[in-house]
Amino acid sequence: MSFEKCQRINSLMSSFDKAWFIAGGWAIDLYIGKETREHKDIEIAVFRKDHLYLKDYLREWEFNKVIKGHFHTWGSEFLELPVHEIHASNMLNGDKIEILLNETKDNDWIFRRDSRISYPLNSVWSFTKKGIPYLNPEIVLLYKAKNTREKDHQDFMTIKDYLDNEKKKWLRYVLELHEPEHKWLQFLF
């Protein structure tokens, strides 16, 4: 597959000088190298410390922050937890992007739902051969473990055999810590 949506986002973000990466189901497919299911939307992730830069970078776009499941216009204030989701719309061409804010501390990525879980910052994302950045699959799956939907389970079953031992070991450890009864644990040996 061509990953056309991902390539368009990569082009859009080509001059953004902060870290960003494709997240969600598209990140799983980018890791595998083929589109495995239909995707209704596209998510990117940025570090919280950089979200005001992103808003300035996409200054032609309209932004909404999500608070308790409801959309609210986002002015220019720095967004603090628990706000972690932003929706951006390009009013000229109709493009839409969901933006997920990720936490950092020093040189680590921190899981917003459980601060005991971290990952070295420089190991959070990878690039496809065409240069598209994506959130590494073990982190995507950790996010998908809460309130697992059918598409999340499908993503896990699709990618579990592509994960190397190190990724499986880390995912198992953090699931045991955060979601100790999760059904995916039986597959992570």
Side-chain angles (χ1 to χ4, degrees):
M1 296 299 286
S2 68
F3 290 105
E4 183 181 331
K5 282 185 180 179
C6 298
Q7 289 174 359
R8 283 202 347 248
I9 296 294
N10 197 38
S11 293
L12 172 70
M13 298 296 290
S14 64
S15 297
F16 185 64
D17 64 355
K18 306 291 183 187
W20 72 275
F21 24 88
I22 303 283
W26 277 114
I28 297 290
D29 285 357
L30 287 167
Y31 179 79
I32 293 173
K34 65 180 179 183
E35 194 172 332
T36 62
R37 66 172 174 86
E38 182 182 342
H39 300 275
K40 295 192 185 322
D41 56 7
I42 190 159
E43 300 108 353
I44 67 169
V46 297
F47 297 125
R48 182 175 300 277
K49 63 188 174 80
D50 298 329
H51 74 284
L52 292 176
Y53 294 106
L54 179 65
K55 187 163 196 275
D56 185 55
Y57 181 76
L58 299 175
R59 67 178 60 89
E60 317 289 311
W61 293 54
E62 289 189 7
F63 289 85
N64 287 294
K65 57 188 175 184
V66 178
I67 300 174
K68 296 182 180 178
H70 298 281
F71 288 77
H72 301 271
T73 300
W74 175 32
S76 59
E77 75 277 13
F78 187 89
L79 299 175
E80 302 280 353
L81 279 173
V83 177
H84 63 273
E85 183 179 339
I86 303 166
H87 289 254
S89 301
N90 182 329
M91 303 318 289
L92 298 175
N93 65 12
D95 283 352
K96 296 182 184 305
I97 305 171
E98 182 177 336
I99 302 157
L100 305 170
L101 304 181
N102 280 248
E103 311 307 315
T104 60
K105 183 177 180 189
D106 301 323
N107 293 318
D108 290 322
W109 165 88
I110 306 295
F111 185 45
R112 77 169 182 278
R113 295 179 189 149
D114 189 335
S115 62
R116 298 174 296 172
I117 299 172
S118 64
Y119 215 71
L121 205 52
N122 61 358
S123 301
V124 171
W125 72 95
S126 298
F127 291 88
T128 66
K129 291 177 183 170
K130 293 191 175 192
I132 301 172
Y134 61 89
L135 188 61
N136 282 335
E138 64 273 27
I139 297 174
V140 173
L141 292 170
L142 175 60
Y143 280 117
K144 287 176 167 283
K146 181 180 179 184
N147 302 321
T148 306
R149 302 160 296 184
E150 180 54 37
K151 68 179 181 178
D152 302 322
H153 186 66
Q154 180 184 342
D155 285 346
F156 174 79
M157 295 307 287
T158 297
I159 200 168
K160 69 180 176 57
D161 294 331
Y162 288 87
L163 299 176
D164 63 29
N165 286 337
E166 188 177 313
K167 291 180 184 321
K168 282 183 183 178
K169 184 178 176 182
W170 184 84
L171 184 57
R172 181 171 183 76
Y173 169 75
V174 297
L175 284 178
E176 286 174 342
L177 191 63
H178 186 68
E179 296 274 346
E181 303 296 318
H182 203 283
K183 62 185 174 184
W184 293 345
L185 286 167
Q186 64 185 310
F187 300 103
L188 293 170
F189 286 100

